[in-house]
Amino acid sequence: MNTLVFHLKKTVINGLTKQLAAYQISNHNPYVSFAAKHLNATFLAYTSEKVVIQGQGAQALAHFLQLDNPSTSSKPDTQSSLAGQAMPMIGTDEVGNGSYFGGVAVVASFVKPENHAFLRSLGVDDSKRMTDQNIQTIAPLLEKEIPHKALLLSPKKYNQVVGKGLKHNAVSVKVALHNQAIWLLLQKGIAPQKIVIDAFTTPNNYQRYVSKEVNQIQQAITLEEKAEGRYLAVAVSSIIARAMFLENLRDLGQEVGFQLPSGASAKSDKVASQLLAAYGMTALAHTAKLHFANTQKAQALLT
């Protein structure tokens, strides 16, 4: 599928929508102000002042609308030139591993070049650079449109498998989760040309741990630092994982009647000590990762 993206002034977009009024179609994307289908192509006008034309007839429709004329002050979107963006790929990321309260969310997403315009129209970016409000608004749209597999390891389950004398350490459990998310996504019959994981350990470490997993992935996997800022597939996973983590944190807080903070700061120590005083260690085992130093700090606050 051909995709053309233009940045246009609002007045130019208004003129284009008038030209295509007879070909208007419905579109449920809240970020699309106008949609039309003509000459075997779909025209989408976004509230961000972008115009996207997709389909086999994309060039023909652009020519019909004179968007290939420099006088329109349009310019093709160049974000697709990022490394690896011009191919269908799987990207994974995890959220929650550094937070005392809440589980660990790992997501693998499959993004194709034809998804790029949609993702950019939503402002998809590394979740660390987005507000929680934006993340929780965008995530449902991504979940609906982008093939993905999301896994959430609850604190209770985390404490059963991670720690001294248990099956996993803090790194190996993430290896297992990333591997399983990718493997389950591949079972849907998709064919990525590249698989990228936002690096949380060295490639040698990853291979050492993943070799012990039951489900083995035959395709090569690349670990890259800060991949969420380089690959849309990883950025999508980052957003969905963050939304999942926040939802889990909220749900756990409602269960115990406390607002559980993200992170592992002194604020977490204080809330943990309050949970200990109210319910005992059982409450921490249900809501927090016990091997964190916060557990000892919370206990010390009670003495």
Side-chain angles (χ1 to χ4, degrees), residues 149-171:
K149 185 62 185 179
L151 302 177
L152 176 69
L153 184 65
S154 69
K156 181 178 180 180
K157 182 64 177 177
Y158 183 97
N159 293 322
Q160 292 173 354
V161 300
V162 179
K164 188 175 181 180
L166 299 177
K167 181 179 180 181
H168 289 291
N169 58 42
V171 175

Side-chain angles (χ1 to χ4, degrees), residues 11 30 32 131 134 194 203 251:
T11 54
V32 172
T131 66
N134 285 341
K194 186 172 185 176
D251 291 346

Side-chain angles (χ1 to χ4, degrees), residues 223-243:
L223 275 72
E224 292 191 29
E225 294 184 0
K226 299 181 180 180
E228 70 279 3
R230 298 188 62 201
Y231 301 100
L232 286 169
V234 180
V236 168
S237 293
S238 176
I239 292 169
I240 296 175
R242 178 67 179 171

Side-chain angles (χ1 to χ4, degrees), residues 184-217:
L184 289 171
L185 186 54
L186 288 171
Q187 302 315 297
K188 296 184 177 183
I190 64 175
Q193 291 183 23
K194 186 172 185 176
I195 302 176
V196 176
I197 294 175
D198 186 39
F200 55 87
T201 188
T202 65
N204 286 342
N205 238 8
Y206 186 89
Q207 289 303 321
R208 178 163 64 92
Y209 288 128
V210 82
S211 65
K212 302 174 184 178
E213 293 300 307
V214 173
N215 296 323
Q216 292 292 311
I217 297 166

Side-chain angles (χ1 to χ4, degrees), residues 29-299:
N29 185 335
Y31 298 93
V32 172
S33 59
F34 178 86
K37 192 155 189 176
H38 186 46
L39 298 177
N40 199 25
T42 300
F43 174 97
L44 300 172
Y46 288 86
T47 55
S48 59
E49 298 189 350
K50 283 184 182 179
V51 164
V52 176
I53 303 178
Q54 295 178 317
Q56 296 300 318
Q59 293 285 356
L61 182 54
H63 181 72
F64 171 78
L65 296 171
Q66 296 185 331
L67 286 179
D68 49 351
N69 188 331
S71 65
T72 61
S73 299
S74 66
K75 61 180 181 180
D77 197 306
T78 59
Q79 186 169 347
S80 62
S81 64
L82 290 174
Q85 297 290 295
M87 65 180 74
M89 63 183 295
I90 288 176
T92 74
D93 202 1
E94 87 280 337
V95 175
N97 59 289
S99 178
Y100 179 57
F101 289 109
V104 177
V106 173
V107 177
S109 301
F110 178 57
V111 171
K112 297 179 289 185
E114 50 261 48
N115 301 132
H116 295 175
F118 166 71
L119 297 177
R120 292 194 293 271
S121 74
L122 296 181
V124 168
D125 198 355
D126 171 18
S127 66
K128 299 181 186 67
R129 295 196 290 264
M130 300 175 67
T131 66
D132 287 345
Q133 183 178 1
N134 285 341
I135 287 169
Q136 290 168 321
T137 299
I138 291 174
L141 301 174
L142 298 178
E143 291 171 352
K144 181 179 179 181
E145 298 294 333
I146 303 299
H148 68 283
K149 185 62 185 179
L151 302 177
L152 176 69
L153 184 65
S154 69
K156 181 178 180 180
K157 182 64 177 177
Y158 183 97
N159 293 322
Q160 292 173 354
V161 300
V162 179
K164 188 175 181 180
L166 299 177
K167 181 179 180 181
H168 289 291
N169 58 42
V171 175
S172 69
V173 73
K174 288 190 288 183
V175 170
L177 289 168
H178 279 266
N179 181 74
Q180 185 68 358
I182 295 169
W183 187 84
L184 289 171
L185 186 54
L186 288 171
Q187 302 315 297
K188 296 184 177 183
I190 64 175
Q193 291 183 23
K194 186 172 185 176
I195 302 176
V196 176
I197 294 175
D198 186 39
F200 55 87
T201 188
T202 65
N204 286 342
N205 238 8
Y206 186 89
Q207 289 303 321
R208 178 163 64 92
Y209 288 128
V210 82
S211 65
K212 302 174 184 178
E213 293 300 307
V214 173
N215 296 323
Q216 292 292 311
I217 297 166
Q218 302 304 314
Q219 188 170 342
I221 293 177
T222 302
L223 275 72
E224 292 191 29
E225 294 184 0
K226 299 181 180 180
E228 70 279 3
R230 298 188 62 201
Y231 301 100
L232 286 169
V234 180
V236 168
S237 293
S238 176
I239 292 169
I240 296 175
R242 178 67 179 171
M244 183 185 299
F245 168 76
L246 291 172
E247 182 179 9
N248 177 242
L249 198 65
R250 184 189 66 241
D251 291 346
L252 290 171
Q254 290 175 349
E255 289 176 18
V256 296
F258 284 81
Q259 185 173 352
L260 303 179
S262 177
S265 66
K267 186 176 181 180
S268 296
D269 301 340
K270 183 177 180 180
V271 173
S273 69
Q274 293 170 342
L275 280 172
L276 282 173
Y279 305 114
M281 186 59 72
T282 302
L284 283 189
H286 183 68
T287 60
K289 304 174 184 71
L290 295 182
H291 73 84
F292 277 41
N294 301 82
T295 302
Q296 288 71 43
K297 294 177 182 178
Q299 290 171 324

